[in-house]
Amino acid sequence: MPIAGRYICGMFRPRVTLRDVARRARVHTSTASRVLNPATRELITEPIARRVTTAAEQLGYQPNPNAYSLKTNRTRTVGVIIPDIANPVFPPILRGIEDAFAESGYTAVLANTDNDGDREGTIFQEMLARRVDGLILATARRRDPLVDRCLLEKIPVVLINRTVDRGDVSFVVNDDTFGIGLAVAHLAAMGHVRIAHLSGPLTLSTGFSRHRGFVRAMKKGGLRAEPKRIGVCGGFTESEGRRAFLELRERDRTFTAVVAANDMIALGCYDAAREIGLRIPGDFSVTGFNDMPFLDKLQPSLTTVRIPHYQMGAQAARTLLARLNGGLAAVEHVTLLPELVARDSTAAPSRRTRRGR
Amino acid sequence: MPIAGRYICGMFRPRVTLRDVARRARVHTSTASRVLNPATRELITEPIARRVTTAAEQLGYQPNPNAYSLKTNRTRTVGVIIPDIANPVFPPILRGIEDAFAESGYTAVLANTDNDGDREGTIFQEMLARRVDGLILATARRRDPLVDRCLLEKIPVVLINRTVDRGDVSFVVNDDTFGIGLAVAHLAAMGHVRIAHLSGPLTLSTGFSRHRGFVRAMKKGGLRAEPKRIGVCGGFTESEGRRAFLELRERDRTFTAVVAANDMIALGCYDAAREIGLRIPGDFSVTGFNDMPFLDKLQPSLTTVRIPHYQMGAQAARTLLARLNGGLAAVEHVTLLPELVARDSTAAPSRRTRRGR
DNA sequence: TCCGTTCGTGCAATCGATTGCAGGGCCCGG
DNA sequence: CCGGGCCCTGCAATCGATTGCACGAACGGA
């Protein structure tokens, strides 16, 4: 068994423990413990407390988190489960989580599932085995067994980005309905009437509510959301966007704009348009969703809906912290407002396209 | 103090411990421990071992990592310190690390420094406080106090992507010199002679060795690496790329190609070119480095050098694991080979530019 | 038959903290 | 002057594993 300690200036120094601090301060370890723990600090009188804190400082004492966790059953660790960190929406979310946790001494442990149910289960088990105090899930489907399990087993959990249909769980999401409304209103204001929608998977709250948002916004604008002008993608991917666009165009060639459920799907539209020789925004306009990095560098730059990803992560972390510290905090639903970022992929319909082709 | 346990099927079940397993198998806890630990498994006879394993299985036993860590001083956790997860080169590296660790039971804990020295120090301290078994650093500068400290304190560490000048530390990096050589050779083959370089910070091994690689490759190709055609960026950023490009062009207007030290700097060249009305690759060619996502979507798509990021992460994790398991493993230097990805930002110099302007 | 060796298992200390409980000192009132 | 109560601090058990050491059984040889 290795001996705890570190090399300082080339010399091996055994690790400083609470005992060492107590010994130096000439008090019992329990007293030292109470001084160093903010919650019990007030139990000890000032002069003794000072002796302990100075001793701790002089020795460079750092508490052993394993001993703490073993005794208290709290690891000050939370699991963050996301589909894929390579998806550019997640890094800012993660930074938000990290920053919000930093002050409170919690650490986030990350895992990617690639949207694979089995892998999700495995990771969930491993997180529990690691004794995380809570979970932040960005992988929820509208009906999600993992979320059900968290609730059943009373594991503190906060959903992020996506949510579930059952309402008895905390989440922090973007207002997808409102966001899509922004895109539709933007297009309608430019004179578009025959607007199509390429939705994401309807089993995900994001896909579902953006789809619903599209239908509502069209109705509200006095426009018709024709079923033939709605395509459903099997995933939020470029290839699915391309496929769904081509399929859509088989059914209808009169639309003048496409509201894509996210930026990747919009990129799929770019690909398809290039293939079949259509110009954006000359032949049709496109809007995305998320405002990924580098969209402004595309040709044409993509009009999209910006989501406050960083705040989303930070808020989710705060919500979880409240639950972890406060014990049985109430279920909290937070919805953040997105904003439209108008760029060059949207323009007024040309006279030619306005007539239909 | 909360009692360890979980809710299963709505009922609270106290956590299963090694004692429970031992009791059920009618053996001592030490025996159960030895059976469940692969290293000591052979000490126990088969029939008894079987009793223990079935008992463990029936009870759904999961060892408490905190107790393990407290006793053994190993947390099976490693810290991964990177500048910024939002930089698209890091997610694939992280995935590689995660996957390579997954099998061995290690967990990576991530932290971002934003290239801030103070923050680096803080994070380093926190990692040590968390008792990580080792570190993977992607933040190294050529002379790096943090790396020095790791070596002094004998903390297992592997550098990734960037390295330091002192050679007595393990690292996994890309062959930057070779990679830049690919870009230079590609341009030279197209007929470019007056090639410029926008280097990254020379205090980073990446900036330095790409710069050196440029000079060497030019010499090797029988070309002159003129100082006036070399600009230095203060950071691997778009804005620095733009600034350095404009500055470069003040000094020299005869170059027909720019080898940028990375993709962001190349993007800065795009910005500058647009501002002053130059066309790529009509007026000059540009190459990047890293092959970030979406470069193929740019107008024009960017010729760049692809780095095997995922493998880099995986290899770094394996190198660290060898050190952690094998005790005093030798210092290991791994260099991965990049490849050229030719796209539309490079073309033969036009007759006009070939003459100089 | 008896003793020595070997092999397998149990005993108990230990890692480094937290915390309920007990005890001692001090202050104040009778 | 003495006793009771109230803080403040110390004692010791405890969390759940690992591991050096000791002990007992089984076996083989004399």
Side-chain angles (χ1 to χ4, degrees), chain B residues 51-64:
Chain B
R51 276 207 335 252
V52 172
T53 49
T54 58
E57 219 160 290
Q58 290 172 344
L59 294 176
Y61 170 69
Q62 286 191 318
N64 184 323

Side-chain angles (χ1 to χ4, degrees), chain A residues 245-246 249 253 270-279 284:
Chain A
F245 179 86
L246 295 174
R249 199 150 177 288
R253 311 192 107 191
Y270 274 49
D271 295 343
R274 189 171 311 134
E275 279 175 41
I276 62 181
L278 291 181
R279 298 188 66 88
F284 68 100

